[in-house]
């Protein structure tokens, strides 16, 4: 049973990690740089949305309680990062109008991402390396 749980979670966590790496906005930036970052954020958002749907399908099935809890943790973290992705896209659109405010908001969103990942790390130990994807 444990082996089955690990086999199920590993691909989900790998996809989560890959999407997290792409999820970020570095300001200040030029318009072409922002456009590239937005494209990357949208790609990450698509990956997270697909992962979110996949986790929901797994939750419909009969799973042992520890596995269900892990899936719920991953589902909530994915939901938080989907909202973060939307916020980053809106922030990128706002940047030309208010660069200073956008930079300040970008820092707060980055801290939010780190907090989401840290909370997930506490709930699913060794699931993710927050140092590798926290930037």
């Amino acid at each position: 049973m444990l082996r089955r749980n690990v086999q199920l979670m590993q691909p989900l966590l790998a996809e989560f990690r890959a999407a997290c790496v792409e999820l970020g906005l570095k300001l200040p930036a030029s318009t072409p740089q922002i456009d590239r970052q937005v494209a990357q954020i949208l790609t990450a958002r698509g990956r997270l949305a697909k992962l979110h749907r996949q986790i929901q399908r797994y939750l419909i099935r009969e799973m042992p309680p520890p596995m269900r809890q892990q899936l719920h943790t991953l589902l909530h973290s994915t939901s938080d990062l989907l909202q973060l992705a939307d916020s980053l896209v809106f922030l990128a659109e706002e940047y030309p109008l208010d660069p200073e405010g956008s930079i300040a908001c970008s820092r707060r969103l980055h801290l939010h991402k780190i907090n989401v990942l840290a909370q997930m790390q506490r709930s699913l130990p060794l699931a993710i390396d927050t140092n590798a994807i926290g930037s």
Side-chain angles (χ1 to χ4, degrees):
M1 183 63 94
L2 178 60
R3 183 181 171 114
R4 180 175 171 254
N5 293 352
V6 170
Q7 289 175 338
L8 175 68
M9 287 300 287
Q10 287 308 317
L12 298 175
L13 292 171
E15 186 63 21
F16 183 84
R17 282 185 213 103
C20 287
V21 168
E22 297 173 350
L23 194 59
L25 181 63
K26 292 185 174 131
L27 298 174
S30 66
T31 301
Q33 290 170 327
I34 290 174
D35 291 344
R36 282 191 296 276
Q37 290 182 70
V38 167
Q40 187 172 326
I41 292 165
L42 292 173
T43 297
R45 192 194 188 294
R47 292 175 91 163
L48 288 166
K50 181 179 175 185
L51 178 62
H52 195 266
R53 289 187 302 273
Q54 188 176 7
I55 295 166
Q56 286 175 323
R57 284 193 300 271
Y58 283 132
L59 283 170
I60 292 171
R61 300 178 186 169
E62 282 295 317
M63 296 280 180
M67 185 67 186
R68 289 187 71 76
Q69 183 57 44
Q70 291 177 345
L71 287 169
H72 276 289
T73 297
L74 188 55
L75 185 72
H76 290 294
S77 297
T78 303
S79 293
D80 286 345
L81 292 182
L82 281 167
Q83 292 174 356
L84 177 68
D86 292 339
S87 296
L88 290 171
V89 170
F90 292 134
L91 185 60
E93 293 170 355
E94 186 71 22
Y95 178 70
L97 303 173
D98 181 12
E100 289 179 22
S102 297
I103 290 170
C105 286
S106 172
R107 289 184 187 129
R108 284 193 300 275
L109 290 175
H110 178 72
L111 289 175
H112 177 69
K113 176 184 171 182
I114 290 171
N115 288 335
V116 168
L117 297 176
Q119 183 178 0
M120 184 174 162
Q121 182 68 21
R122 285 189 299 274
S123 299
L124 294 173
L126 306 175
I128 56 174
D129 179 4
T130 55
N131 293 324
I133 59 178
S135 60

